[in-house]
Amino acid sequence: MRTLISTAFISLDGVVEAPGGEPGYRNSGWTFKDIEFLPEAFDIKGREQREAAAMLMGRTSYEAFSPVWPDMADFADYKVIPKYVVSTTLTEDDLVTDWGETTILRSLDEVAALKETDGGPIIVHGSAALNRSLSDAGLIDRYHLLVFPLLLGAGKRLFSATDKDTQKLKLVEHAAYANGVQKNVFDVVR
């Protein structure tokens, strides 16, 4: 069974919307505003690329990343791995041609079936709505969180507000950096 890893830049109050400057959110680009850049705080991002065997994302994140990431040196390792997009509306004609193999999945059942295949970890970037659905369905195995010392208030959140049983997490790696960013890696306890 493959490990499904949710990775996120997240504010202390749980917001994950537009950390890199995506348009339409009032606090867009919050990972760069008033936070000193320390390379060591982002080492986990390079490790994720080296270790991921596939990438999973929702339609909105695919539409944001696919025009930009294929040509960015910072994301070169992702270009060669298979990508999976969970969408009920995206068509094959909507897929970019310069980002490697991309498959559209139509349901969480298809995500669950993908997890049952052979292969290494599957990484989920962005995709706030998809993350909440994956969590509610019990499909996420690990969280890689870079927590920023910010309170953003309104915005898309990583975690579901669904009334459900407690989900226990086990902290397996952590670090705090001089700029206030914290790395927290949690395994989902089943």
Side-chain angles (χ1 to χ4, degrees):
M1 182 148 157
R2 300 173 83 168
T3 302
L4 186 61
I5 301 168
S6 171
T7 182
F9 296 125
I10 187 168
S11 68
L12 191 59
D13 58 346
V15 174
V16 294
E17 187 168 356
E22 299 79 0
Y25 176 59
R26 70 178 292 210
N27 292 316
S28 184
W30 50 268
T31 58
F32 306 112
K33 295 177 181 174
D34 302 319
I35 304 289
E36 177 189 1
F37 177 77
L38 296 177
E40 61 271 21
F42 296 90
D43 283 347
I44 193 168
K45 295 297 164 194
R47 189 175 85 206
E48 288 170 351
Q49 283 191 65
R50 291 186 302 275
E51 294 175 358
M55 187 186 323
L56 179 72
M57 65 204 98
R59 179 195 50 81
T60 301
S61 290
Y62 177 78
E63 289 176 341
F65 299 156
S66 65
V68 181
W69 282 22
D71 296 324
M72 290 182 69
D74 288 345
F75 301 108
D77 291 334
Y78 284 142
K79 190 165 185 169
V80 297
I81 66 173
K83 277 147 292 290
Y84 298 89
V85 184
V86 181
S87 173
T88 58
T89 59
L90 208 61
T91 68
E92 295 292 326
D93 291 338
D94 297 320
L95 301 178
V96 299
T97 59
D98 62 342
W99 205 18
E101 175 190 345
T102 304
T103 303
I104 300 170
L105 304 178
R106 299 293 182 195
S107 69
L108 293 181
D109 288 339
E110 290 185 33
V111 174
L114 174 64
K115 282 188 63 176
E116 295 295 329
T117 62
D118 290 333
I122 304 165
I123 194 94
V124 182
H125 280 280
S127 309
L130 177 60
N131 265 287
R132 291 188 300 272
S133 295
L134 292 168
S135 176
D136 287 348
L139 294 173
I140 295 176
D141 301 299
R142 175 174 276 197
Y143 289 95
H144 289 184
L145 305 177
L146 285 180
V147 182
F148 283 71
L150 301 167
L151 300 175
L152 297 174
K156 294 178 184 175
R157 301 212 177 305
L158 180 66
F159 299 107
S160 172
T162 302
D163 185 15
K164 59 184 177 183
D165 291 339
T166 300
Q167 175 66 71
K168 191 169 184 184
L169 305 174
K170 179 182 178 186
L171 184 65
V172 295
E173 183 181 340
H174 63 91
Y177 303 98
N179 62 359
V181 172
Q182 297 175 29
K183 173 180 65 179
N184 293 302
V185 176
F186 294 99
D187 281 344
V188 175
V189 177
R190 303 217 195 287

